[in-house]
Amino acid sequence: MKHRFVKIVELTLCAIALGISPARADGDSPTLQLKPCTIELVDGTNIQGQLAVQFDMPEHLVVYSPRLATVRSFLKQHVHAVTVDGQREQLNDKRDLTEEDKRLLGRVDWPDEPPSEGRKPAYTTETWQKPKQLLIWANPGRSGRFEEPTNWLSNGQPMKRWPRAVGEHYGLIFFEKDGTDLLFPACCERYVVRPRATNARPRHITTEAGADAEVRLNNCTGNIWIAPHAQFDGGGGATLGGDKHTFFINDRPYTGDPPTTPERFRELMESAQSFGRKWVVRKETPQASMTLIGSFGSGDETHWARGVTILEKNSVIAVGPRCEQSVGRNAMLILKSGAVLGKRSGNQAYKNDMFIHGSFLAGTPDEPLTRDVYLGISIKDSKLRIASERAKRFVDEDGPRGLTIAPGAEFEVHTRNPDGARLVITWHGILGENGNDDGTPPGYFEMLPEAERTINVNIFGDQVLKDVVFDWVGEGDVRLLSPEVRDQWQRVSFGAHARAGGDAVFRNVQPGEDLQGEIARWADAEQVMKWARLDLGKGARYPRILPSGGTFSAGEAVEIRLDAMSNPEMRYTLDGGDSGDGQVYTGPFKLTETTTVKAGCFHYPPPHFLKKWEEVTDTFTFIEGSRMPDQPGRTSPGLLMRTYKDNSFDELHHPSGKPLATQMLEQFRLNVPQGRMNEKDGYLYIGYVAVSKPGLYRFYTDTEAPSRLYIGDRLIVDNHRRYRYDWNPSGSPPLQSWGSLRLEPGKHAIRVEYARGSGFSGWPPWEPQENEPFEIGYEGPGIEKQPIPAEALSH
């Protein structure tokens, strides 16, 4: 029986030897169990790993790499034998692999395995912990929705719903930090996994042959591995973060000739697989790194905001045509031998193609270049023959075009062969208009005479260039703020397509000088710093202050955290001033006195005018003394819940009309009246909470939509701000906010206002959910943190 051992491992070891309990009714999964194993493929290849013994899949074995840096599956038809705990069992006879077998298997070595000799990539030195949860697409070959729980196996058990510990929050699935890995197993038939509007925060992701998966990544903290015959999309605004050295492998390195001609460059750009509309590398520390191996594209823009990003040898990044690329001031981008970076479609007419504010290295001192690397940027209309007022606005507002190197940026080339291993700054070879976003008419650049097709480079610091080739440049196309630094340049030359050479290519500029309608004040370092802020769009531009204001007892130190969807830079003030003038948020801070906190999100892509957005403000009030109990007289168990058609806090606090319905509940819960599930109603809860001991009590609300909690007439918990794409990188409850005060024994009036369906951004629209989170709780002397029990409530 070829599969007898598999059943022993997956069932007997799982259920008996390891004592694994089945999934509980509340949706929680058992602990993931891994066993060291040896997988012998039918062709004789041996692979060491750690077998996930709980997954009873009919066609797949699930195995982690020895360091737990990635996970993959093996189709059982490709496995000759498996050894676990000294027990070896044969599954199939040995044979040669067919071409179809090779397609389904992909590479058989582990990506994180250190090379036997030479320099070890940083990601091969990392050791990872076992995840809290491994989610595997339960039915390879069958397409479905990402957010449908029944499509997944969680630690070997079928999922019936997202566990409360993970939490599904209207388009947001909050995985615990570094706690969830995703695997889309190999299949001979293609299958498609798409989310409706769900954003997730997983750790490792593996997509194997046959799978076409999209996961909208709020923040991926681990390694991503895409097999050669798989597709993976990170969604509309993917963030790659974490504090470890990681890899992102798309097993498609380019082969063939380097992009020395526009035709070859265009071929490489157009063949790159899109990873998502926009993605950002934003590590938690500047020292952490992300290594990109293979071919990558984006539909829109790419930013390197924090940490080190390494584009490995013979790898490609092709960015969408509409927006810019940027290297932030806390980021470093390294291109290794043969790497290519450019646009994947369309020509960026007037904006910056790339803005370098941090560090850009072609090669490193430890690993110098052995082949040319290529940085492709768009051609510009050097004579500014603008076709529309819209195009003029782009020119006037966006400043210098092409490649811009800011004051203080690091720009270096390290080569082993100055004659054949250089940084080539050239045109990416694509002429097509960018959807007329820049105001150019259809076919504008195709009609531009070839002699006038040139690129622009702006060097606004004192960078010393070495081993750089400028191609497709014309007279005055390389602008210098510090022309004297050219005396220190070494081996700077011009390519075969350059329209001019020597001194004619360079143009010396001064701050304030008009550059053919451009804004030369970008050349001033202080202005670059001031104006290079850009909000990330609706939802992403709002930070969240946790807790979100309210009342606290004097003498208590309240820890404040700031979170935001796309991990942007956040700044804050404590004196009521503009957040743009405040300090950069680097971690939690504490308050001990009444304070107004203002916070904003900032990013550093290519220069834009400073855009003013809605500022987030929360007030924390500290009060002295202890509250005396109310004297309500005789009360009845439970509390009252009133439903109002208007869900605004103003209406809930001072109702102007009669409620649609009034109910008596034994404790706080969301009991939507019949026929009102799809309505954005307001809910008002009124009653008393009894405490038996004097002391400090903390109250909290954990709700899907905005909520407020009052004790007497004092606002204690102000959980008032909710945007659909808010998220919490720390993994704690995403919508929980709290406040505190000292209470004397007795009954205290409690009032909760819940604005159901409010606080969401316009896209995706709010959608009702029968089991939406709603929890009102407390903790205090002799009381652990818990929902307020029925016996403590009366009305």
Side-chain angles (χ1 to χ4, degrees):
M1 297 177 63
K2 292 184 178 181
H3 300 308
R4 181 169 66 87
F5 176 76
V6 176
K7 296 301 180 185
I8 291 174
V9 171
E10 295 177 349
L11 299 178
T12 307
L13 281 179
C14 174
I16 301 175
L18 295 175
I20 300 170
S21 60
R24 298 191 294 272
D26 63 1
D28 291 341
S29 300
T31 302
L32 179 66
Q33 301 292 337
L34 302 175
K35 285 281 187 177
C37 69
T38 300
I39 305 292
E40 301 174 48
L41 300 181
V42 292
D43 68 345
T45 302
N46 286 353
I47 302 165
Q48 304 297 319
Q50 298 198 44
L51 182 70
V53 298
Q54 294 148 295
F55 285 88
D56 181 22
M57 301 183 71
E59 298 181 355
H60 297 79
L61 297 176
V62 179
V63 184
Y64 271 88
S65 71
R67 293 178 179 81
L68 304 183
T70 189
V71 61
R72 66 162 298 166
S73 72
F74 291 95
L75 285 165
K76 295 175 183 177
Q77 68 192 45
H78 298 144
V79 178
H80 168 59
V82 186
T83 301
V84 178
D85 284 343
Q87 302 180 53
R88 183 180 183 274
E89 189 74 16
Q90 181 175 327
L91 275 66
N92 298 286
D93 296 331
K94 286 191 173 183
R95 60 177 175 83
D96 292 333
L97 292 171
T98 66
E99 290 303 313
E100 177 64 8
D101 291 334
K102 294 176 182 178
R103 185 186 75 84
L104 291 172
L105 270 171
R107 64 186 294 177
V108 296
D109 62 317
W110 292 112
D112 63 307
E113 184 176 348
S116 57
E117 58 183 26
R119 181 175 172 274
K120 292 179 174 59
Y123 61 83
T124 66
T125 66
E126 289 285 5
T127 300
W128 297 80
Q129 299 297 316
K130 180 175 66 175
K132 295 180 180 178
Q133 182 177 225
L134 171 59
L135 292 180
I136 297 182
W137 192 255
N139 298 296
R142 183 184 300 174
S143 300
R145 286 291 185 186
F146 177 90
E147 51 270 277
E148 175 54 52
T150 57
N151 287 328
W152 296 95
L153 296 175
S154 174
N155 292 353
Q157 299 291 338
M159 282 185 65
K160 295 183 180 179
R161 64 179 178 84
W162 292 107
R164 183 66 185 92
V166 175
E168 185 177 2
H169 287 261
Y170 288 143
L172 288 167
I173 293 180
F174 293 94
F175 299 133
E176 296 182 50
K177 183 176 181 181
D178 297 337
T180 300
D181 297 339
L182 303 179
L183 171 61
F184 301 92
C187 184
C188 58
E189 296 182 5
R190 179 175 178 267
Y191 63 99
V192 179
V193 179
R194 293 288 185 269
R196 284 197 313 173
T198 302
N199 286 257
R201 191 182 189 276
R203 188 180 69 163
H204 302 327
I205 303 172
T206 302
T207 309
E208 298 180 334
D212 181 352
E214 178 181 345
V215 181
R216 297 186 176 184
L217 298 175
N218 268 139
N219 192 15
C220 179
T221 60
N223 298 312
I224 303 177
W225 184 10
I226 308 174
H229 299 282
Q231 300 285 326
F232 180 76
D233 192 319
T239 299
L240 308 176
D243 59 0
K244 288 181 175 287
H245 300 296
T246 56
F247 63 75
F248 185 173
I249 295 177
N250 185 11
D251 275 330
R252 293 170 175 83
Y254 84 81
T255 58
D257 297 331
T260 55
T261 66
E263 293 75 20
R264 175 57 178 155
F265 210 122
R266 179 167 60 251
E267 180 183 354
L268 280 178
M269 295 296 99
E270 293 176 344
S271 64
Q273 178 189 348
S274 178
F275 168 58
R277 185 177 63 83
K278 181 179 77 171
W279 46 288
V280 179
V281 177
R282 186 180 294 277
K283 289 291 186 177
E284 293 181 15
T285 66
Q287 295 75 33
S289 67
M290 161 73 75
T291 300
L292 301 170
I293 305 171
S295 177
F296 305 87
S298 71
D300 201 331
E301 57 189 294
T302 300
H303 300 299
W304 297 275
R306 185 184 300 122
V308 180
T309 302
I310 303 167
L311 185 59
E312 264 292 353
K313 297 176 181 178
N314 303 327
S315 296
V316 176
I317 295 179
V319 181
R322 191 165 61 90
C323 294
E324 309 88 343
Q325 309 165 69
S326 67
V327 180
R329 59 197 174 109
N330 294 316
M332 175 181 290
L333 177 61
I334 299 174
L335 274 58
K336 291 193 174 181
S337 298
V340 181
L341 176 59
K343 296 279 187 181
R344 67 189 307 261
S345 62
N347 191 76
Q348 191 74 43
Y350 299 112
K351 297 181 180 179
N352 275 288
D353 289 274
M354 172 171 272
F355 180 79
I356 299 173
H357 192 70
S359 299
F360 179 96
L361 277 68
T364 65
D366 293 337
E367 195 171 355
L369 298 178
T370 58
R371 294 179 55 193
D372 285 341
V373 299
Y374 296 84
L375 175 57
I377 56 180
S378 300
I379 61 172
K380 310 299 177 184
D381 181 359
S382 59
K383 296 186 182 300
L384 294 179
R385 294 178 298 189
I386 300 168
S388 70
E389 291 300 319
R390 177 176 171 81
K392 290 180 182 179
R393 179 175 60 81
F394 274 95
V395 174
D396 290 340
E397 291 188 4
D398 288 318
R401 308 183 303 269
L403 168 65
T404 298
I405 305 172
E410 183 180 19
F411 192 86
E412 297 181 356
V413 179
H414 301 273
T415 180
R416 187 170 292 165
N417 175 18
D419 295 327
R422 305 147 299 177
L423 170 64
V424 181
I425 302 174
T426 184
W427 171 39
H428 54 58
I430 295 174
L431 277 173
E433 71 277 356
N434 173 29
N436 302 327
D437 256 11
D438 51 29
T440 57
Y444 184 78
F445 283 97
E446 287 88 336
M447 295 182 292
L448 192 66
E450 184 168 328
E452 297 180 15
R453 296 175 183 174
T454 62
I455 64 173
N456 296 160
V457 178
N458 308 283
I459 303 174
F460 288 159
D462 56 358
Q463 291 81 10
V464 177
L465 271 56
K466 298 180 181 179
D467 303 301
V468 174
V469 178
F470 291 109
D471 204 2
W472 292 93
V473 290
E475 292 187 10
D477 283 335
V478 179
R479 287 93 177 243
L480 305 175
L481 183 65
S482 304
E484 66 280 359
V485 80
R486 276 187 61 200
D487 296 337
Q488 304 175 50
W489 290 10
Q490 299 178 30
R491 299 181 295 278
V492 174
S493 57
F494 304 96
H497 305 95
R499 306 309 183 193
D503 293 341
V505 171
F506 302 101
R507 180 176 179 182
N508 305 334
V509 299
Q510 297 294 326
E513 179 183 348
D514 182 8
L515 299 182
Q516 289 185 301
E518 297 177 4
I519 304 173
R521 56 187 172 182
W522 294 118
D524 182 78
E526 182 178 349
Q527 295 300 321
V528 169
M529 287 293 293
K530 180 178 178 181
W531 291 335
R533 302 172 187 166
L534 175 67
D535 65 283
L536 297 177
K538 194 170 186 178
R541 65 190 182 193
Y542 295 98
R544 203 169 76 220
I545 302 172
L546 300 171
S548 56
T551 298
F552 303 87
S553 179
E556 186 174 15
V558 179
E559 184 176 88
I560 307 299
R561 294 182 295 111
L562 304 182
D563 284 343
M565 184 189 79
S566 297
N567 265 347
E569 177 179 285
M570 293 178 283
R571 292 174 176 264
Y572 68 96
T573 60
L574 305 177
D575 59 0
D578 189 290
S579 61
D581 299 323
Q583 55 189 312
V584 175
Y585 176 75
T586 58
F589 56 91
K590 292 185 177 181
L591 299 179
T592 58
E593 60 185 9
T594 298
T595 305
T596 296
V597 179
K598 289 189 176 182
C601 293
F602 301 92
H603 195 35
Y604 292 87
H608 284 251
F609 281 115
L610 175 62
K611 296 183 178 179
K612 183 64 177 178
W613 55 87
E614 189 175 326
E615 193 158 36
V616 175
T617 304
D618 280 333
T619 298
F620 299 80
T621 303
F622 289 77
I623 60 172
E624 301 279 353
S626 184
R627 186 182 190 275
M628 300 303 294
D630 294 297
Q631 304 297 327
R634 187 174 180 177
T635 59
S636 300
L639 60 125
L640 296 177
M641 170 185 156
R642 295 171 180 166
T643 303
Y644 293 90
K645 189 171 184 179
D646 189 338
N647 68 357
S648 69
F649 280 129
D650 288 342
E651 175 64 22
L652 290 174
H653 201 63
H654 301 287
S656 59
K658 293 183 178 180
L660 298 174
T662 300
Q663 306 175 58
M664 196 283 289
L665 305 178
E666 71 280 2
Q667 64 185 118
F668 287 101
R669 60 187 175 91
L670 183 60
N671 194 40
V672 178
Q674 186 175 2
R676 305 297 298 179
M677 177 58 66
N678 296 326
E679 303 301 325
K680 297 181 179 181
D681 291 333
Y683 297 91
L684 175 61
Y685 298 80
I686 301 173
Y688 293 92
V689 58
V691 299
S692 60
K693 296 180 181 180
L696 179 67
Y697 288 81
R698 288 187 177 185
F699 292 85
Y700 68 86
T701 69
D702 186 356
T703 56
E704 172 59 32
S707 57
R708 285 175 169 167
L709 183 151
Y710 292 80
I711 297 295
D713 59 358
R714 181 173 290 279
L715 176 62
I716 304 299
V717 181
D718 192 7
N719 197 357
H720 62 281
R721 187 180 297 108
R722 173 64 176 135
Y723 293 92
R724 184 161 189 168
Y725 282 105
D726 285 350
W727 72 300
N728 184 359
S730 65
S732 60
L735 288 176
Q736 191 174 111
S737 194
W738 60 275
S740 66
L741 80 167
R742 296 185 178 277
L743 299 177
E744 293 297 323
K747 295 181 178 181
H748 297 263
I750 186 170
R751 175 189 185 97
V752 172
E753 300 168 357
Y754 182 53
R756 185 170 183 258
S758 70
F760 292 88
S761 57
W763 183 91
W766 174 78
E767 296 176 4
Q769 188 180 28
E770 293 189 13
N771 296 317
E772 64 188 74
F774 183 86
E775 186 174 299
I776 311 299
Y778 71 160
E779 61 181 324
I783 302 174
E784 295 184 354
K785 185 177 180 180
Q786 60 180 288
I788 301 176
E791 56 267 23
L793 295 171
S794 62
H795 72 284

